[in-house]
Amino acid sequence: MNKLPNKFNTNAVRAGINMTEEGEHSEAMFLTSSFVFENAQQASDRFKNVEKGNVYSRFTNPTVRVFEERLASLEEAEQCVATSSGMSAILSLFMSLCQPGDHIVVSRSIFGTTVQLFNNILKRWGIDISYVDLKEDLEWKAAITNKTKFFFVETPSNPLTELCNIKDLASIAHEANIKLVVDNCFCTPALQKPLLHGADIIIHSATKYLDGQGRCLGGAVLGSKEDMTEVYGFLRTAGPTLSAFNAWVFTKSLETLNIRMQAHSSNAMLLATWLEKQKKVTKVYYPGLESHPQYSLANTQQSSPGGVLSFEVKGGMSEAWSLIDSTKLLSITANLGDVKTTITHPTSTTHSRLSDQERIEVGINDNLVRIAVGLEDIDDIIGDLNYLLK
Ligand SMILES: *Cc1c(COP(=O)(O)O)cnc(C)c1O
């Protein structure tokens, strides 16, 4: 167990370490599917869980455990369960804690595949879903039924960087005996710790900023021991476990999480400020700008505004596409949370499954461009957007 004081940077580099007899300084990687026993008695005891210890990597793996303990210490959660992807984190959470007839209230502004998981999969198993505007407390309240078990939200939202007040939403949820789940993928614990604002459960796609360098897929669910015991039970039976190799990569990435997130934020702040001054840009969405309607909430809920921003280009979709096509350095890809800056057109990519009507409702216009600001020199990032100067 991690006995360190709760200091973010110290925990980020040291929590969860369990050095082997070899005395390795960097965390060891245990690429093994199963574990051997000293004798038949020990095998029996391990299977019966009379004796603690590893049996098979679908159940436990020492490398995965280091990542889980380290991330739990950063989120200040009782327990973390690592999963094979962000999507399997969300699936595992609801498969283990919901049953047919339950109802979940969900922010309309969430990751597209999460919407598909709710609509195409969970609904088929009898779980009812309602969608609301994440900023409107009254909508959350009005959506509650006597079957509502969870609220699910991402803050800031993608791509419009709208925030939800986690503390207020948690108290609305708790009054009705509902648990609040926050997908903390955009901020990571370096910028925002939802459990400290009253949320009950955190979801991560480790694929994004936790890895930070675009290498591996993974995810995590964090929360109370009681809830995580259920999630773990689902995982060891159903099997969407994190691979030891990916866990090792993420563990090493957590060591630089804080300095990376600060650097993403400061580059994004410089870019947002520059974009706001461009005549060809009609609107910039970034919680670090005073023009953002929730600027003061962002200042109290987050330690910095994060690496993702979006903006509207004067004109329509063809101008947005021309800007994207004019870039030479930025990567045209829908992924985010990478040291390399990425640029995408949400209407035709990440949010293309929404109908025109749904897109208009959430405010994603055809001239919107999203940038997940990386760690290149800011002058090079701005220089690559010189289409906006012409
Ligand atoms: C990418 C993403 C997910 C899904 O994660 P995967 O690792 O791709 O399965 C979930 N939520 C958010 C906010 C994401 O950006």
Side-chain angles (χ1 to χ4, degrees):
M1 278 305 285
N2 155 41
K3 292 203 183 70
L4 290 159
N6 185 33
K7 298 222 174 88
F8 193 96
N9 290 316
T10 305
N11 283 344
V13 299
R14 291 187 179 271
I17 290 180
N18 191 5
M19 200 187 284
T20 73
E21 288 164 1
E22 302 294 340
E24 72 283 358
H25 195 206
S26 175
E27 295 72 2
M29 197 194 314
F30 291 88
L31 290 181
T32 180
S33 45
S34 73
F35 298 83
V36 293
F37 311 109
E38 280 164 22
N39 49 46
Q41 182 63 50
Q42 189 184 44
S44 166
D45 290 347
R46 291 264 178 97
F47 269 83
K48 285 193 196 118
N49 213 11
V50 178
E51 179 187 302
K52 281 220 171 316
N54 299 301
V55 172
Y56 186 55
S57 281
R58 173 153 41 74
F59 306 164
T60 57
N61 174 284
T63 312
V64 174
R65 186 196 52 76
V66 176
F67 169 64
E68 289 173 333
E69 287 192 12
R70 193 165 291 185
L71 184 58
S73 79
L74 301 185
E75 286 285 16
E76 303 190 40
E78 273 178 27
Q79 202 174 327
C80 170
V81 180
T83 58
S84 58
S85 69
M87 290 321 301
S88 66
I90 302 171
L91 178 71
S92 302
L93 170 66
F94 292 120
M95 290 306 266
S96 50
L97 294 177
C98 282
Q99 51 189 0
D102 286 346
H103 175 232
I104 308 172
V105 185
V106 180
S107 157
R108 210 170 272 131
S109 313
I110 56 165
F111 185 61
T113 313
T114 311
V115 176
Q116 286 179 44
L117 177 72
F118 284 133
N119 289 352
N120 303 345
I121 298 174
L122 293 183
K123 274 188 183 173
R124 271 204 286 137
W125 296 94
I127 295 163
D128 197 18
I129 313 287
S130 304
Y131 292 96
V132 295
D133 183 329
L134 84 165
K135 307 182 295 304
E136 301 295 334
D137 287 357
L138 291 176
E139 287 195 29
W140 289 94
K141 274 189 188 155
I144 296 173
T145 73
N146 61 0
K147 299 281 188 194
T148 309
K149 206 155 183 189
F150 290 102
F151 281 178
F152 186 97
V153 72
E154 283 170 24
T155 176
S157 71
N158 176 18
L160 296 176
T161 72
E162 293 177 314
L163 272 66
C164 116
N165 187 321
I166 299 172
K167 198 159 158 254
D168 290 353
L169 195 59
S171 62
I172 295 170
H174 295 160
E175 254 169 52
N177 210 13
I178 293 165
K179 284 181 180 164
L180 173 60
V181 184
V182 176
D183 181 331
N184 201 27
C185 181
F186 265 51
C187 278
T188 83
L191 305 190
Q192 166 175 285
K193 297 193 184 190
L195 298 183
L196 301 191
H197 297 292
D200 302 284
I201 292 170
I202 294 172
I203 288 291
H204 270 291
S205 165
T207 317
K208 312 294 168 51
Y209 288 108
L210 298 190
D211 175 6
Q213 292 164 67
R215 298 164 295 192
C216 292
L217 265 84
V221 190
L222 300 103
S224 69
K225 273 213 159 59
E226 194 186 345
D227 286 341
M228 293 312 105
T229 300
E230 296 297 317
V231 176
Y232 170 67
F234 173 81
L235 216 79
R236 66 177 274 161
T237 306
T241 37
L242 181 62
S243 82
F245 179 82
N246 289 11
W248 183 85
V249 171
F250 296 146
T251 299
K252 302 311 286 176
S253 280
L254 289 181
E255 295 172 354
T256 56
L257 180 66
N258 196 21
I259 53 175
R260 278 188 289 109
M261 292 313 291
Q262 301 309 330
H264 280 292
S265 268
S266 60
N267 257 1
M269 188 68 213
L270 292 168
L271 179 61
T273 308
W274 180 82
L275 284 167
E276 228 179 11
K277 293 194 201 116
Q278 304 312 309
K279 280 203 293 295
K280 278 196 182 171
V281 174
T282 52
K283 190 156 185 185
V284 183
Y285 301 87
Y286 184 62
L289 294 174
E290 281 181 43
S291 59
H292 190 286
Q294 295 165 301
Y295 174 72
S296 66
L297 174 61
N299 261 323
T300 53
Q301 190 163 271
Q302 301 177 203
S303 63
S304 37
V308 181
L309 59 81
S310 60
F311 57 98
E312 289 172 359
V313 185
K314 194 177 222 168
M317 179 153 148
S318 67
E319 282 77 10
W321 277 29
S322 299
L323 166 67
I324 291 169
D325 291 345
S326 75
T327 62
K328 294 188 174 63
L329 177 73
L330 308 195
S331 313
I332 305 175
T333 170
N335 198 21
L336 59 88
D338 197 305
V339 290
K340 299 185 178 80
T341 300
T342 66
I343 186 165
T344 191
H345 179 244
T347 303
S348 55
T349 60
T350 52
H351 292 69
S352 58
R353 283 200 178 82
L354 297 183
S355 68
D356 290 346
Q357 180 61 30
E358 287 170 322
R359 254 198 312 277
I360 290 163
E361 263 175 39
V362 293
I364 299 171
N365 296 321
D366 280 355
N367 59 348
L368 188 77
V369 173
R370 188 196 74 191
I371 295 186
V373 185
L375 303 187
E376 300 94 340
D377 294 306
I378 188 63
D379 291 347
D380 289 332
I381 298 172
I382 288 176
D384 205 35
L385 297 167
N386 63 6
Y387 171 91
L388 295 170
L389 300 173
K390 289 174 196 152

